[in-house]
Amino acid sequence: MRLSDQVAEKLLSLIQAQDIPPGGRLPAERGLAQSLGVSRTALREAIQKLSSHGILTSRVGAGTFLAADARPWPQQSMSPLGALMQQDPQYRYDVLESRYALESSTASYAAQRATDADKAKIQRCFDQMVQHQQRGNAELSAHADAQFHLAIAEASHNLVLLQIMRGLFDLMLSTVAQNRRNMLILDSPASQDKLTHQHQALMQSILDGDPEQARAVIGQHLDYIRATLIKTDEDAARHDRSTRLPSPMHP
């Protein structure tokens, strides 16, 4: 991967970490270069690359700004899906299929391209997820779960896939939380252990640099979630039917 691409990724991550709003001004070039640990020449090349994609705009004498429509488009395009999922939870299966298409690629690329810093971040997200699970904090565990998958997308070093995953983050977080609640209702200890082992296997395949194993593990992980949710839905539907049976008449 070219240096300008690497710096562009770092710059996008910094923009997200500092929560710079659309239209907001980026820090001065000297400070940005120091924060990213790169030369000003490499930074300028990254800014030019992101500007050519419409993500940044530069104004002579004013500085560099995040374009007004640079980040909202993924969230705007995903927002109708959030409303649909509230109306019909079955749409979470569509989200799972989308995750399979995206994450089979990001996991494979991460196994090929992850840096030591990427691997350390994935490990931190995994450790946080396990800690929250052990403390019984479902909300924080779900958030760490989503962050774990997002860290893998970052390690793929594919700007397009990463932006799509970031756009899906809020929707993904809600479905992860819902999926975890449903799975815990079905079988708490076994489901927790299974999910932990799957995440650990996925992380290990990336640490080992094994793209085929990473692709296989993420597929098995999402297949397991789908199968478990189907069983949960079937059990709920069976229970609903039983409650609609007429009460037996007593003499």
Side-chain angles (χ1 to χ4, degrees):
M1 178 180 290
R2 290 176 296 183
L3 178 61
S4 60
D5 291 329
Q6 296 176 21
V7 179
E9 287 184 10
K10 289 183 177 182
L11 183 53
L12 283 174
S13 296
L14 183 144
I15 290 170
Q16 184 184 41
Q18 295 189 358
D19 199 23
I20 297 174
R25 185 178 184 276
L26 273 63
E29 190 176 280
R30 183 191 300 271
L32 271 180
Q34 291 177 347
S35 297
L36 298 175
V38 300
S39 69
R40 296 178 71 174
T41 299
L43 175 63
R44 291 191 190 110
E45 290 178 357
I47 290 174
Q48 290 176 358
K49 178 178 289 290
L50 294 176
S51 297
S52 68
H53 290 296
I55 297 173
L56 298 178
T57 59
S58 295
R59 304 172 196 167
V60 178
T64 303
F65 299 78
L66 184 64
D69 59 350
R71 287 195 300 170
W73 71 264
Q75 288 85 346
Q76 289 177 355
S77 63
M78 301 301 171
S79 59
L81 297 178
L84 284 174
M85 288 186 60
Q86 288 182 350
Q87 298 168 12
D88 185 355
Q90 293 299 310
Y91 278 102
R92 67 179 181 267
Y93 292 106
D94 288 346
V95 176
L96 274 174
E97 288 183 358
S98 299
R99 287 185 59 189
Y100 190 99
L102 285 169
E103 294 190 64
S104 60
S105 294
T106 56
S108 176
Y109 288 137
Q112 299 174 60
R113 303 170 180 170
T115 65
D116 289 342
D118 293 328
K119 293 176 181 179
K121 183 173 183 179
I122 293 170
Q123 179 76 62
R124 285 196 304 272
C125 290
F126 173 78
D127 292 342
Q128 289 171 0
M129 180 177 60
V130 172
Q131 290 171 6
H132 294 314
Q133 285 177 185
Q134 292 173 342
R135 294 169 184 164
N137 193 320
E139 181 179 355
L140 290 180
S141 178
H143 189 272
D145 189 334
Q147 288 282 6
F148 172 80
H149 289 276
L150 189 59
I152 291 173
E154 292 174 350
S156 75
H157 294 281
N158 182 300
L159 285 175
V160 175
L161 288 173
L162 176 56
Q163 287 297 89
I164 294 173
M165 282 290 288
R166 282 175 173 160
L168 272 172
F169 183 78
D170 289 340
L171 183 64
M172 181 175 145
L173 180 56
S174 67
T175 57
V176 167
Q178 183 182 36
N179 292 347
R180 277 180 170 269
R181 284 194 297 270
N182 291 335
M183 294 174 78
L184 293 181
I185 289 172
L186 179 68
D187 189 0
S188 176
S191 293
Q192 288 279 21
D193 290 344
K194 186 78 171 179
L195 288 173
T196 299
H197 290 321
Q198 289 174 348
H199 283 112
Q200 187 170 23
L202 176 57
M203 176 180 67
Q204 193 60 51
S205 67
I206 293 171
L207 298 182
D208 292 342
D210 189 338
E212 292 304 318
Q213 179 66 8
R215 186 182 290 271
V217 172
I218 189 63
Q220 293 165 7
H221 172 59
L222 296 175
D223 284 345
Y224 170 70
I225 292 175
R226 179 181 176 83
T228 307
L229 293 179
I230 288 174
K231 187 177 188 310
T232 304
D233 287 344
E234 289 175 346
D235 290 347
R238 190 176 298 109
H239 179 267
D240 182 60
R241 289 194 298 271
S242 68
T243 61
R244 285 182 276 154
L245 291 172
S247 301
M249 296 188 64
H250 298 284

